[in-house]
Amino acid sequence: MTNSQSVPMMLQKNTTLGEFIIENQSEFRYSSGELSRLINSIRLAAKVVNHEVNKAGLVDILGTAGDTNVQGEDQQKLDVYANNAFIKTLTNREIVCGIASEEEDNFITIKGRNEQNDNKYVVLIDPLDGSSNIDVNVSVGTIFSIYRRITEPGTPVTLEDFLQPGKNQVAAGYIIYGTSTMIVYTTGHGVNGFTLNPAIGTYYLSHPNMKFPEDGKIYSVNEGNYVHFPQGVKDYIKYCQKEEGDRPYTSRYIGSLVSDFHRNMIKGGIYIYPNTAKDPNGKLRLLYECNPMALIAEQAGGKASNGFQRILDIQPTELHQRTPFICGSKHMVEKAEGFMQQHKPS
Ligand code: P6P
């Protein structure tokens, strides 16, 4: 039993998210309190969305909103609800100068009280990832990514503020609306997970200092697309399935990135969404899915690449650009990269 005196307050499991943010404020090099207020606003929005997600089956909020997003995907009503909830909450806190969302064609400029662009942070979100699972009651999630703006405060926010490589993120995290609702995030000093006590609406530090096991026995990939995968990915999948040593591995694929990632981070595993002939850059979006998950993975000792390049080093060129994504236990990602690099595209 760990003596509670030996564990810093900020990692004691009865710590609330609010106490943790205050305890960690001094760690953040821009410790002006704005990032803390920003994380707090995400915490509030997550509670609002959680309430709707958890009763989705009870009210007429299922089904599509009758519209499609910039990705050409049917917008689920909860997608729209979640998008609006996060935008509203982030707008009200006078901290953010711009928001980019999977559900918005272009970024949104947010002006401060004095109608100036004085706020320092931009936020990129996938408000409800895995939303195709909503109607079948499978876990979904929110993914967020936070940068300091590049342009001068007081000047209009520009696309340049959003098209930063993932290594520039000052914070990233996800909310998983599963059997319990959790917020998992990093500000560059490790990864911590907080579980919501719905009875009192408070998040408690339930998973301090989360670490990706270096090895694992779970691989997550949509094998329905196998015939369209690059040869290196096919070779890695066959490696996972071969009766040899600690293999075959177990195949687990929920169809919800946040859920597959979260399980793999706790148990050890690898998630792969490769490019195919139909989707030459894969399906997942670099800015508000892969970059935040890659930062969390690396902060927890894992790895994330496109098979050839570290995700966090990719210089974005478009807001909704996609990338092949391999992420998880360090040794598993390295093994998959080895197979892929035997068939490096010319
Ligand atoms: P497929 C959900 O739409 C998502 O972006 C991820 O959450 C998930 O892992 C993936 O796409 C599922 O895609 O093509 O396997 O259904």
Side-chain angles (χ1 to χ4, degrees), residues 51-62 78 134-135 137:
H51 181 68
E52 287 305 310
V53 166
N54 283 345
K55 69 177 187 180
L58 300 176
V59 296
D60 177 29
I61 199 163
L62 295 178
L78 269 176
I134 293 168
D135 290 359
N137 202 14

Side-chain angles (χ1 to χ4, degrees), residues 124-268:
L124 300 95
I125 52 170
D126 181 356
L128 210 59
D129 178 70
S131 53
S132 56
N133 289 309
I134 293 168
D135 290 359
V136 294
N137 202 14
V138 167
S139 302
V140 293
T142 298
I143 307 173
F144 62 90
S145 170
I146 303 172
Y147 293 86
R148 280 178 74 84
R149 66 185 300 179
I150 289 175
T151 52
E152 277 306 306
T155 64
V157 67
T158 69
L159 187 58
E160 183 196 10
D161 291 310
F162 296 92
L163 298 184
Q164 300 186 49
K167 59 192 170 190
N168 290 4
Q169 292 173 98
V170 294
Y174 59 83
I175 297 105
I176 180 168
Y177 309 99
T179 47
S180 60
T181 297
M182 284 188 68
I183 291 184
V184 176
Y185 79 93
T186 180
T187 58
H189 301 278
V191 178
N192 293 282
F194 300 81
T195 299
L196 178 67
N197 176 344
I200 55 175
T202 300
Y203 290 93
Y204 285 90
L205 178 63
S206 52
H207 296 68
N209 198 23
M210 297 182 81
K211 290 293 178 198
F212 243 113
E214 285 198 329
D215 292 294
K217 296 184 173 54
I218 296 171
Y219 68 102
S220 307
V221 63
N222 183 342
E223 295 187 59
N225 299 325
Y226 178 85
V227 295
H228 304 297
F229 287 160
Q231 188 56 45
V233 173
K234 289 179 179 175
D235 293 347
Y236 179 67
I237 291 172
K238 288 305 169 203
Y239 168 84
C240 293
Q241 294 170 341
K242 189 172 182 181
E243 189 90 33
E244 189 178 66
D246 61 352
R247 286 168 285 131
Y249 295 154
T250 297
S251 174
R252 286 283 183 276
Y253 191 71
I254 299 171
S256 167
L257 168 61
V258 170
S259 306
D260 281 314
F261 179 98
H262 187 74
R263 182 209 51 245
N264 290 346
M265 182 155 67
I266 290 172
K267 292 183 176 287

Side-chain angles (χ1 to χ4, degrees), residues 10 50 57 107 191 243 282 286 324 337:
M10 64 185 172
N50 175 65
F107 66 83
V191 178
E243 189 90 33
L286 173 63
E337 288 172 334

